[in-house]
Amino acid sequence: INAEYMGKNKLCCNSHSREMFRPRVSHYAVTELSARITVQSQRGSVKKCFVYHQDRYAPDTRHAFGVTEFFLAGSCDYYDYYQGVVSCPTRRVRYRFLLYPTDGTTAVWLGEDGTNTSASAVGFFHLPYLTTRDLYAVPTWASSAVCYQIFPDRFCRVAQHGEKNDRRFVPWHSTPTRDNFFGGNLVGITSKLPYLHDLGINMLYLTPIFHAPTNHKYDTQDYYALDPAFGTLDDLKQLVREAHTLHIKVVLDCVFNHCGDNFFAFRDVCLNGVASKYADWFHIHSFPPDPEKCNYETFAVNIPSLPKLRTENPEVREYLLQVAEYWIREADIDGWRLDVANEVDHHFWRMFRDRVRAVKSDAIIIGEIWHEAHEWLLGDQFDGVMNYKFREAVLDFLVFEKLEAETFARRLTRLVMLYPEPALRCCLNLLGSHDTDRILSLCKNHDESTARARVLLSVVVQMFMPGIPMIYYGDELDMEGGADPLCRGAMMWERVYGETVTAASTSAAATTTTTTTTTTTTTTTTTTTTTTTSPSPSSSPSTSPAPERPKLFEVYATFTKFRKSHPAFQTGALKVLHACNVQNLVVLARLSPDDNSEVFRLYLNCSARRQHPWDPQSHHQTVWSSETLCDATSRSDVPLRPFEARLCFNPLAGQQ
């Protein structure tokens, strides 16, 4: 249940002060017997907020109401957010607010009809009935998920049975282009599951693996077939089975906005023109379709190889919905990431959610939307989106230095207030992807030491935020790469194992998760194929130790443990405690989901100077620092070193 209301009258502090923003109210059901309500007021205009709530059929008398005080959850550039949960024992509730202005003038009531000093004049906001079907349901496993995005052609190549050195594949560390192929495959990904498990990953997101002519596969030729370069259906099933054994979910990427020009239906239209039974599957302006004239709608602007699908057509809709169901049933995948999701009609996505959840009730649905996505996150379409707005805020502050600390802190508050809390938990918080420059490359305007420090601070913010942190493959190994296609380079396994990678093999010292092991070379057997991991020349037994893993790997691995073991990281709210432009210091907190007490505190010294911590008399103990090794007794009042991130724990949480 979701709704938004705008008061009809402006609420003024007094005749001499500026008018307050007309308070905006939103609500949704948390359970069948409770609802979360948020009131958004002009920043600094309200000092106390109370909500009066009751059954919709109860008498409108003051003594018939329950009263709950809402506390300030955060502030952004223009607004304050007061938020809380009210009980609805009969499933029906109506409510209104009593707001106390900061200047001490008369308190005013806020209801659906606006604001007034008289309660009866403002009416009520209504949640008519908290129906089970309308609950905002997202997968419970998402709360502790840490996602790893893989571009399959570039992650790991394991030579297939009987395969010779295919000349289509370039040497492993060649410069990536839009046209070359490196030979990464599904068996290769399976072989690296232990590495991902060590990193703390429990959710894999693979860019498209369906049959298509390009290396990126967003030009789908056959939605029901895997691309032969990646492997077989049995290879995918094996990957999913072994991932599940390690408690790792597998999410596939698919495009329902457009297809490739080799898609059977589009080929038929090109052959038969208006007489084709698939003529209405696309947005064709004149027949026959002509790639040179591009007389049909495509993805973006005039890309003839990517014709746009007409998802409002019942036949197209049914075909695509069956695709979504098929791969869950056939391979037991755990959800979908949906490309160009904002250009497909809402009706299709509502049907998509119903059909997918009918097959697998805890499947996750993530939309690719780069802008604000509130209308897709009302509980009836997506669970979350690719959170590019988060990436934009972090880069503007820590990489490009466009924002000051206080503005950045307010931007974070706005981000966590932008969507309902269940949707926020399912958004992929990313610093880079296959569509962007890698973050380390973006920091090249700084010296190397400062660049790495800023990347580390960015990663710590990413891991501290509510939502699912998404690691783009290789970022944990300090991989670099500019804009597409340079950001899609081959995984640097030599930084993990110290091996020399050749075009023929990228195995990680022949460590494959297996079903049958007979010799020092590990062999995986399926019902239709046998694949052998061929060690590279340098992966034979050696006394030389593996190289020390980059610091970012350890940072990710450490924070994944925190996220999996502490409820505050899973479902607790984020709160900005302090931000100072002069110090370039930001202090954030994650709160207990039980009583909103402060559990973790994160200090971010984003300057090149030592800084004294904010609130040095607190009870917090340092449990991690980017600069020093810490134990549970470390004090939090030690001055912060330049560009230091420090995580502190409050041992009195829940007792104060």
Side-chain angles (χ1 to χ4, degrees):
I1 296 174
N2 294 273
E4 292 188 349
Y5 302 93
M6 191 74 77
K8 293 181 179 179
N9 303 315
K10 289 189 176 181
L11 178 61
C12 303
C13 297
N14 56 49
S15 59
H16 301 290
S17 65
R18 63 179 182 177
E19 292 181 324
M20 295 173 63
F21 169 79
R22 290 178 293 178
R24 182 180 183 182
V25 176
S26 63
H27 59 223
Y28 60 90
V30 178
T31 69
E32 295 173 348
L33 299 176
S34 62
R36 183 181 297 276
I37 303 173
T38 303
V39 58
Q40 175 183 326
S41 63
Q42 183 176 328
R43 185 178 167 197
S45 62
V46 173
K47 67 177 180 181
K48 281 188 176 295
C49 173
F50 296 89
V51 60
Y52 286 69
H53 50 94
Q54 64 171 180
D55 183 278
R56 294 181 63 240
Y57 297 103
D60 185 5
T61 60
R62 191 158 188 136
H63 298 293
F65 287 87
V67 182
T68 302
E69 182 175 4
F70 279 11
F71 293 96
L72 181 65
S75 303
C76 66
D77 285 334
Y78 304 107
Y79 313 127
D80 288 333
Y81 300 90
Y82 287 85
Q83 192 175 70
V85 175
V86 299
S87 61
C88 312
T90 64
R91 294 194 177 193
R92 302 177 298 263
V93 67
R94 63 181 183 179
Y95 63 93
R96 56 189 169 213
F97 296 93
L98 183 59
L99 305 176
Y100 288 84
T102 52
D103 66 353
T105 55
T106 304
V108 294
W109 292 91
L110 167 66
E112 195 174 75
D113 295 327
T115 57
N116 201 290
T117 55
S118 170
S120 60
V122 302
F124 294 95
F125 299 110
H126 294 266
L127 277 162
Y129 193 83
L130 306 187
T131 63
T132 303
R133 179 65 178 81
D134 287 333
L135 290 178
Y136 205 126
V138 298
T140 55
W141 58 263
S143 298
S144 57
V146 178
C147 180
Y148 193 88
Q149 183 193 0
I150 290 176
F151 194 82
D153 182 59
R154 311 293 162 79
F155 188 65
C156 178
R157 181 183 175 205
V158 170
Q160 303 293 319
H161 176 67
E163 177 187 304
K164 296 181 180 179
N165 187 16
D166 193 327
R167 292 187 179 182
R168 291 181 305 160
F169 301 148
V170 298
W172 190 247
H173 283 310
S174 300
T175 299
T177 71
R178 296 186 185 278
D179 302 314
N180 58 9
F181 294 82
F182 288 64
N185 51 33
L186 295 175
V187 176
I189 297 172
T190 304
S191 75
K192 301 304 183 186
L193 288 175
Y195 166 83
L196 297 172
H197 186 259
D198 288 346
L199 184 58
I201 300 304
N202 53 13
M203 175 181 171
L204 277 184
Y205 148 37
L206 310 184
T207 56
I209 59 175
F210 307 117
H211 192 26
T214 59
N215 54 36
H216 58 73
K217 310 301 178 191
Y218 284 101
D219 52 340
T220 312
Q221 177 175 323
D222 188 343
Y223 285 89
Y224 283 98
L226 297 179
D227 195 276
F230 291 155
T232 66
L233 176 58
D234 283 328
D235 293 335
L236 176 60
K237 290 181 177 180
Q238 181 77 0
L239 168 60
V240 175
R241 279 196 301 269
E242 297 198 15
H244 286 175
T245 299
L246 295 174
H247 307 289
I248 298 173
K249 304 289 186 180
V250 179
V251 174
L252 297 187
D253 194 344
C254 202
V255 195
F256 296 115
N257 174 71
H258 57 269
C259 60
D261 56 359
N262 286 317
F263 181 52
F264 80 94
F266 191 73
R267 289 203 315 268
D268 191 275
V269 177
C270 291
L271 181 65
N272 298 303
V274 71
S276 170
K277 64 179 181 179
Y278 304 111
D280 288 338
W281 280 41
F282 306 93
H283 302 260
I284 300 174
H285 304 312
S286 62
F287 290 91
D290 186 339
E292 292 188 5
K293 296 179 181 178
C294 201
N295 57 343
Y296 48 88
E297 290 190 31
T298 71
F299 165 66
V301 180
N302 297 332
I303 303 178
S305 61
L306 301 176
K308 181 175 175 62
L309 290 159
R310 190 184 289 274
T311 51
E312 65 269 27
N313 181 321
E315 293 179 356
V316 177
R317 188 166 60 235
E318 185 59 27
Y319 176 88
L320 297 175
L321 293 175
Q322 288 184 16
V323 168
E325 295 171 322
Y326 172 82
W327 289 105
I328 297 176
R329 289 196 180 103
E330 192 66 26
D332 197 26
I333 65 167
D334 301 292
W336 290 102
R337 182 268 190 188
L338 305 166
D339 194 58
V340 202
N342 55 340
E343 297 186 23
V344 177
D345 60 272
H346 294 284
H347 178 63
F348 176 84
W349 291 132
R350 292 185 182 101
M351 296 185 68
F352 182 93
R353 184 181 185 87
D354 287 344
R355 296 280 285 269
V356 165
R357 287 291 173 79
V359 179
K360 196 167 196 175
S361 60
D362 67 344
I364 197 166
I365 303 171
I366 305 291
E368 184 212 15
I369 298 178
W370 290 55
H371 52 81
E372 291 185 10
H374 189 270
E375 61 194 283
W376 288 271
L377 297 176
L378 300 177
D380 59 347
Q381 296 173 71
F382 306 151
D383 297 310
V385 294
M386 305 280 287
N387 200 352
Y388 280 99
K389 298 299 292 182
F390 164 78
R391 176 179 183 268
E392 179 183 307
V394 172
L395 295 186
D396 281 351
F397 176 51
L398 288 169
V399 176
F400 304 133
E401 300 181 272
K402 294 179 181 178
L403 302 180
E404 294 184 307
E406 294 169 26
T407 304
F408 172 67
R410 293 193 292 268
R411 184 84 65 87
L412 291 184
T413 296
R414 186 174 185 279
L415 286 174
V416 298
M417 292 295 168
L418 193 58
Y419 305 133
E421 189 269 340
L424 186 68
R425 292 205 308 268
C426 293
C427 285
L428 297 187
N429 295 332
L430 65 152
L431 298 175
S433 74
H434 65 290
D435 287 326
T436 72
D437 302 60
R438 289 185 181 268
I439 185 171
L440 187 56
S441 295
L442 292 174
C443 289
K444 287 307 178 182
N445 56 321
H446 302 284
D447 64 77
E448 183 176 354
S449 176
T450 303
R452 293 184 182 277
R454 289 183 179 277
V455 171
L456 190 148
L457 288 173
S458 301
V459 166
V460 171
V461 174
Q462 177 191 30
M463 299 301 288
F464 195 75
M465 283 286 289
I468 302 174
M470 191 198 87
I471 306 168
Y472 184 45
Y473 79 96
D475 277 357
E476 77 280 9
L477 301 180
D478 295 335
M479 279 183 61
E480 299 180 38
D484 171 22
L486 298 178
C487 58
R488 302 174 181 182
M491 182 69 166
M492 293 184 168
W493 291 113
E494 66 274 16
R495 295 186 179 180
V496 180
Y497 304 105
E499 62 189 35
T500 301
V501 182
T502 69
S505 171
T506 59
S507 72
T511 55
T512 304
T513 306
T514 65
T515 53
T516 304
T517 303
T518 56
T519 67
T520 55
T521 299
T522 305
T523 302
T524 301
T525 304
T526 68
T527 57
T528 59
T529 61
T530 301
T531 59
T532 302
T533 301
S534 303
S536 60
S538 64
S539 63
S540 55
S542 172
T543 58
S544 60
E548 183 178 351
R549 289 179 178 176
K551 188 172 184 178
L552 279 186
F553 183 99
E554 303 304 331
V555 173
Y556 276 123
T558 298
F559 272 85
T560 57
K561 294 175 183 177
F562 284 124
R563 293 186 68 91
K564 292 176 182 178
S565 59
H566 291 281
F569 273 117
Q570 296 165 12
T571 56
L574 176 94
K575 187 170 185 177
V576 174
L577 298 180
H578 177 72
C580 177
N581 291 340
V582 175
Q583 293 180 297
N584 214 11
L585 177 70
V586 176
V587 186
L588 308 174
R590 292 299 298 269
L591 309 181
S592 166
D594 297 323
D595 60 6
N596 278 336
S597 60
E598 184 186 331
V599 180
F600 285 98
R601 178 179 292 182
L602 178 65
Y603 291 93
L604 298 167
N605 180 12
C606 307
S607 76
R609 303 181 304 276
R610 293 170 69 92
Q611 303 289 356
H612 288 284
W614 174 80
D615 190 19
Q617 304 305 317
S618 70
H619 301 286
H620 291 68
Q621 298 171 348
T622 300
V623 293
W624 178 87
S625 169
S626 60
E627 294 297 320
T628 57
L629 295 176
C630 304
D631 56 43
T633 62
S634 300
R635 295 169 52 185
S636 63
D637 59 352
V638 177
L640 294 157
R641 296 181 182 180
F643 297 109
E644 180 182 353
R646 182 182 299 174
L647 181 68
C648 301
F649 174 71
N650 179 13
L652 302 181
Q655 304 174 28
Q656 297 174 317

